[in-house]
Amino acid sequence: MSSLTGGSYPPTLEDAGEQDRLVQTVKDWTIAHGLAVRPPPALVGDSDPEGVLAMSAPVTLFPSPFPQSCFEDASAIQTKYNELYARISQDEEFLGALVQEVAGGDEFIANLWNVHLRVKKEGYVQDLSLGLFRSDYMVHQDGDSLQIKQVEFNTIASSFGGLSARTSLLHSHLARTEYPLLKSPIHRSALELPTNGSTEGLAAGLAAAFRAYGHSALGHPTCVVFLVQDGERNVFDQRHLEYALQSSPGADADPIPVFRLPFSQILAHTTLAPSSPARQLLYHPPHNPSLTFEVAAAYLRAGYGPGDYPDAAAWEARYQIERSAAIACPTVLSQLAGMKKVQQVLATPDAVSATPSALRRFIPDDESHSALWKTFTNIYPLDTTPAGLEARRLATDPAACQRYVMKPQREGGGNNFYRGAIPRRLAEIPEEHWGSYILMEIITPPPVVNTILRNGKLEHGGVICELGVYGTCLWNQRTGEVLRNQESGYLLRTKGDQSEEGGVAAGYGCMDSVRLL
Ligand code: ADP
Ligand code: MG
Ligand code: MG
């Protein structure tokens, strides 16, 4: 396999003085510009009782080389992906059938579906749905050609749009100021670093939903609520979106009011407008009980996994959001559209699919169909269809399983089983629940070398890069009308090539940006 590391780029800094200077610059720039996270409690112990400390997010010292054609393909296809997932979100019958296939072994998905069914029964009062999506890819080498292959499509809590734009800015700052001073200087003109509009792009999506909601019929000021996790460490990523939203162009002279509300506090601080069939969601800021806001958009940065639903009250809280008039990002149906099972069914060729032509059903147009199809890699069901039985054979074979990753219907990292762990995991669960998982071929990108700065320490070596492209989409669930559909910047996440998972928040990966080659 050919390497993407051409010549001496990125350089290995052998000289301690050079290393120190770059590390110091990165440590200071990241804090000065909010490319930061809250420290893990284990790191600070009892020394930060007031919760005032922040630390640099892990980053690469250099932007990783990335094929320009792959970057352009991924950016160009995002609006088609937005359209695809908006359509899937509108197809309750399709999603319901897939939920039935996985729900037996997956109580979380079953509970989400029940929230949808309860609201459907009384009738939805909001037709608009907002997607802040992120489609993730790795580069796949096929002979001489390099192509993007999709890792997954995120429809809920797609994170890092706030930090990734800053990582692009960090690397272009270093390209202007520091790289030219190295003993083997790199001149800025040698680096093709695309601009990254992820923060403004995602904020513009939220602003579009805020405006589309219109004025409060009850005479309240309207607002956007970010539903977040307690103890969130990646809080600055979210704050950057909030600040961009508050100062978004086209907002009235007054900034858009934005509130952070822990998912666990939804029932304590929101109500539905009493005796109004419109079910407006009212937010009562705890710091000032005399204020009432009407929630135009509810942006979920929580609620994507079972950990956020410790009890029945948490499910009632999600139900309250879903049945309200607030524009949800995402709705339950849109969250379910992000199931790995959906991705598997889209990627399963017609001849063997249990639901033929799943991609055609949503994308009849040949050109779009083939562009999307090219980004898929092999993904198999683990059910009792002929394709599923063949996948079961591969997954339980000690040699064959080395080429695969097995995924449950989960988000947020740390949930998958890789290679030799697959047969062990399958042996732990009843066979009738194997269908709750999918089996995916492992993508092995061409080797790249880089240096990661994490917790003040340098890690140098082979890395694997994952490109995410953000998309914002606002559509009408009832009529299918699309009010907004935009590609909205990118994320490059990089991890050591010995690591299976790549989540930055989960502690495996780091922030990066692309140097186009
Ligand atoms: P999650 O929704 O939890 O983020 P992902 O499907 O993105 O789940 O998997 C988590 C990580 O596992 C990815 O970021 C990537 O590093 C790795 N991974 C997942 N699928 C593949 C694959 N097909 N090939 C290589 N790595 C993969
Ligand atoms: Mg995901
Ligand atoms: Mg992922």
Side-chain angles (χ1 to χ4, degrees), residues 134 136 151-154 340 407 410-413 416 466 493 501-503:
R134 199 188 70 219
D136 291 338
V151 172
E152 64 150 345
F153 192 89
N154 294 291
K340 271 80 179 173
K407 304 186 183 182
R410 287 290 173 281
E411 293 302 325
N416 299 339
E466 182 173 349
R493 266 179 315 173
E501 289 273 340

Side-chain angles (χ1 to χ4, degrees), residues 49 82-83 122-123 134 136 183 187 193 216 223 228 239 242-243 258 323 359 389 478 485 506:
N82 292 343
E83 212 172 296
E122 57 189 337
R134 199 188 70 219
D136 291 338
K183 286 180 178 148
H187 295 289
L193 308 178
S216 163
C223 73
V228 300
R239 286 285 189 186
E242 176 185 329
Y243 303 148
V258 184
R323 69 194 292 249
L359 183 59
L389 293 175
R478 203 168 36 81
N485 179 4

Side-chain angles (χ1 to χ4, degrees), residues 58 71 85 92 252 283 303 308 347 384 443:
F71 184 81
Y85 276 84
E92 193 214 14
D252 303 324
Y283 174 65
D308 290 325
T384 51
I443 310 159

Side-chain angles (χ1 to χ4, degrees), residues 246-287:
Q246 285 165 332
S247 56
S248 53
D252 303 324
D254 298 327
I256 296 175
V258 184
F259 297 100
R260 294 172 62 79
L261 176 64
F263 197 81
S264 60
Q265 302 287 306
I266 291 173
L267 294 179
H269 300 300
T270 69
T271 52
L272 293 190
S275 62
S276 163
R279 284 187 230 137
Q280 293 95 339
L281 183 67
L282 304 181
Y283 174 65
H284 312 282
H287 71 279

